[in-house]
Amino acid sequence: MTGNGIPQLYVVRADGEQLYGGAGSLPGDALPQMLLAAMNRAGRSFNAEQAKFLQNQVNAASESLVAGNRLGAAVALAELGAMGGADNLQSFAAPAAKAGELYQELRTQLDQAVKESTGGLLEGEPGSELAQLLILSEAEASLRLFPKWKADANLVMREVRREAKYEEGIQQASALVKARLAAASPQVRVKNRAASLYANVMKKYPRTEASEIARKELSVIEPDSKFLEGMEIASESEPDPYTSILLLNLCRYSCFFR
């Protein structure tokens, strides 16, 4: 405004919605009252540290989902529980909205993965049983990270657990996922347990596919680990595509939090 022009005032929320627009001066207490009303509709605000943390977790979750690493995405989004949860940030800021979208996308992908892997196992489709059990075990672990999904986690492998032939495979998958969760954790104390958890898989299930996967994933996160010395190797075969994705993202996610 210049000269004797009429002042124009607009208040726009982070998502682009106009909360106020008008021309001319507001009389008396009308201006502070309008600003207070706008603030009440503006949603939650974050300080610089919170905003950076939110953006980092959204970036990590987004990259993991794009790469097919649902467990990594779940770990990243679960860290937002300290701020109220990815689906309950009560903010109109773009990163907060993105967190909510990723939360829903993760659940959609988890449900689809569970459906496909369960069907494949029960119908006897060709392929690695352990690979399918790993997908189910990761889905179960991912759901347990979110309060609203914990009850659903108990249903993930309900049908598969009824088949006695999968009992040992489920145990191996669960042990591997436990190690993967530790490796993906942003908490140093938890992350430091990953090597010993992978070593436990190699010791408990020697000369198996699970042992081979554990060795390869441990060599990514800790190439000089003492646990890699003297451990027996099942074979020199390449890991399945899903395990290859995990190997790549274990490295990315580990480096992200260093």
Side-chain angles (χ1 to χ4, degrees), residues 100-177:
E101 293 173 6
L102 291 170
Y103 178 84
Q104 296 300 328
E105 176 61 22
L106 173 63
R107 183 57 193 264
T108 298
Q109 290 194 21
L110 288 173
D111 289 344
Q112 183 63 29
V114 168
K115 181 179 179 180
E116 291 177 357
S117 293
T118 299
L121 287 169
L122 297 181
E123 294 171 14
E125 294 181 0
S128 169
E129 289 183 359
L130 182 59
Q132 299 302 319
L133 291 172
L134 275 170
I135 291 174
L136 293 178
S137 187
E138 283 199 348
E140 184 177 65
S142 296
L143 292 173
R144 292 192 190 284
L145 294 175
F146 302 92
K148 293 181 180 179
W149 297 349
K150 279 186 177 180
D152 297 332
N154 299 325
L155 305 176
V156 170
M157 287 201 280
R158 183 176 59 180
E159 294 180 68
V160 174
R161 289 184 191 280
R162 293 172 180 168
E163 301 288 334
K165 63 181 178 180
Y166 295 129
E167 183 176 351
E168 183 173 354
I170 290 174
Q171 292 175 358
Q172 293 177 9
S174 297
L176 276 170
V177 170

Side-chain angles (χ1 to χ4, degrees), residues 43-46 50 54 58 77-93 95-104 146-149:
R44 179 182 180 182
S45 60
F46 303 108
Q50 290 173 325
L54 172 59
V58 166
L77 291 177
E79 287 296 306
L80 295 178
M83 300 176 67
D87 64 326
N88 190 36
L89 292 172
Q90 300 178 359
S91 170
F92 295 96
K98 183 64 175 179
E101 293 173 6
L102 291 170
Y103 178 84
Q104 296 300 328
F146 302 92
K148 293 181 180 179
W149 297 349

Side-chain angles (χ1 to χ4, degrees), residues 19 37 77 82 98 115 141 186 195 204 211 225:
L19 301 180
L77 291 177
K98 183 64 175 179
K115 181 179 179 180
K204 190 171 183 180
S211 177
S225 173

Side-chain angles (χ1 to χ4, degrees), residues 179-244:
R180 288 176 176 179
L181 275 173
S185 175
Q187 301 177 33
V188 177
R189 176 180 57 83
V190 177
K191 186 184 290 291
N192 288 340
R193 296 179 56 217
S196 62
L197 289 171
Y198 277 121
N200 287 340
V201 176
M202 291 186 282
K203 291 177 181 178
K204 190 171 183 180
Y205 308 106
R207 298 180 179 277
T208 64
E209 185 182 359
S211 177
E212 183 180 354
I213 292 173
R215 167 179 283 276
K216 289 178 178 177
E217 293 184 6
L218 175 55
S219 68
V220 169
I221 65 170
E222 198 172 316
D224 299 324
S225 173
K226 62 181 181 180
F227 296 118
L228 292 173
E229 300 175 5
M231 290 290 184
E232 297 184 51
I233 304 175
S235 69
E236 295 299 327
S237 61
E238 291 298 319
D240 62 86
Y242 186 71
T243 300
S244 297

